[in-house]
Amino acid sequence: MLLCLTPAEMQAACRSLRASGRTIGLVPTMGALHAGHLSLVAAAQGQCDIVAASIFVNPTQFGPTEDYAAYPRTFDEDFQKLAAAGVHALFAPSAEGMYPPGTTTSVDPGELGNRLDGASRPGHFRGVATIVARLFHIVQPDRAYFGQKDAAQIAVLRRMVRDLNFPIHLVACPIVREPDGLALSSRNRYLSIDERRRAGVLSRALATAESLAHNGETSAEVLRAALLATLATDPLLRLDYAAVVDPDTLLPLAETSHGALLAVAAWIGGTRLIDNLLLPPRA
Ligand code: AMP
């Protein structure tokens, strides 16, 4: 696996990997890799000739009181996992390399960037859109792979690809979960044993609402009440949001027959966890 540490190196490597018409799939990550990340690599391998991945803990998407400094950094293990998975090129720049002094340009996702996680993490999606736009310019992939786990991120990036005419197909991959339903996340390693046991309540809340939907319930209010009722069974959980929204605009829905995103975010102890479920349109 080719390792590139600067934007110029990665740009040059991707230019030659793309030679003779080979397609490139890009998997952007912040490292601390788990099976969710590797599922994106596998999806890219199934659809592209060349797979490029990036590991970059992007400072501009963390708020001043968030866990940028503490975010898990496990580069050696991540490198081994990506090499073993057959990734062709890994881009792992430094923060200074990506944001040299004097960098001022950013990508503003507008109002969409202030919804769901964007409401409680001001500036988060501006940071995400900016770094992903820059990765797109450096790698120039044909396809880019993201997890449905970060549903609001998918909405913001889909809109960015459309608004800025990136010639890139964005692929949303299913959420990979632990046996008890907990969505895999690099932040799960912050959880104590007791918090880890409690964390299953997020996916249980979604499963409860999903079974109501399967039985014909289409009222967003009823589905949201079901989410809240299950989340309330853990009195120590601190809710950020439980929402029933349009998956593209992230605006609240009154009813779900045309499809809906059910999304939850909550603090378990000091760890903020998110999870979601897409309800398909009813036939
Ligand atoms: P991160 O390293 O947390 O920025 O995640 C990098 C990519 O992996 C993002 O597109 C995430 O949505 C995706 N991802 C994270 N967790 C999961 C998961 N449990 N299942 C599928 N994709 C995931």
Side-chain angles (χ1 to χ4, degrees), residues 72-152:
R73 289 162 171 86
T74 58
F75 184 77
D76 293 345
E77 289 146 61
D78 293 347
F79 183 94
Q80 296 304 331
K81 284 180 187 173
L82 294 174
V87 167
H88 298 91
L90 171 61
F91 181 41
S94 65
E96 302 72 36
M98 280 310 273
Y99 296 103
T103 305
T104 56
T105 306
S106 64
V107 177
D108 179 0
E111 265 308 298
L112 185 58
N114 298 330
R115 297 179 189 147
L116 296 188
D117 308 282
S120 44
R121 305 185 68 188
H124 171 67
F125 285 125
R126 174 193 286 266
V128 168
T130 302
I131 195 66
V132 171
R134 295 181 61 175
L135 292 172
F136 284 179
H137 284 305
I138 291 165
V139 175
Q140 296 183 31
D142 298 272
R143 292 168 172 263
Y145 295 80
F146 295 89
Q148 184 57 43
K149 156 104 186 322
D150 295 275

Side-chain angles (χ1 to χ4, degrees), residues 28-31 34 36-37 39-40 71 145-150 153 173-177 183-186:
T29 82
M30 297 204 300
H34 51 65
H37 298 110
S39 76
L40 307 185
Y71 196 83
Y145 295 80
F146 295 89
Q148 184 57 43
K149 156 104 186 322
D150 295 275
Q153 171 169 282
C173 299
I175 302 176
V176 178
R177 298 177 177 282
L184 296 192
S185 164
S186 305

Side-chain angles (χ1 to χ4, degrees), residues 10-11 14-15 18 22-26 133-143 166-168:
M10 187 65 176
Q11 228 152 11
C14 291
R15 202 176 296 127
R18 216 182 300 109
R22 285 181 295 196
T23 57
I24 299 189
L26 172 64
R134 295 181 61 175
L135 292 172
F136 284 179
H137 284 305
I138 291 165
V139 175
Q140 296 183 31
D142 298 272
R143 292 168 172 263
F166 279 103
I168 294 171

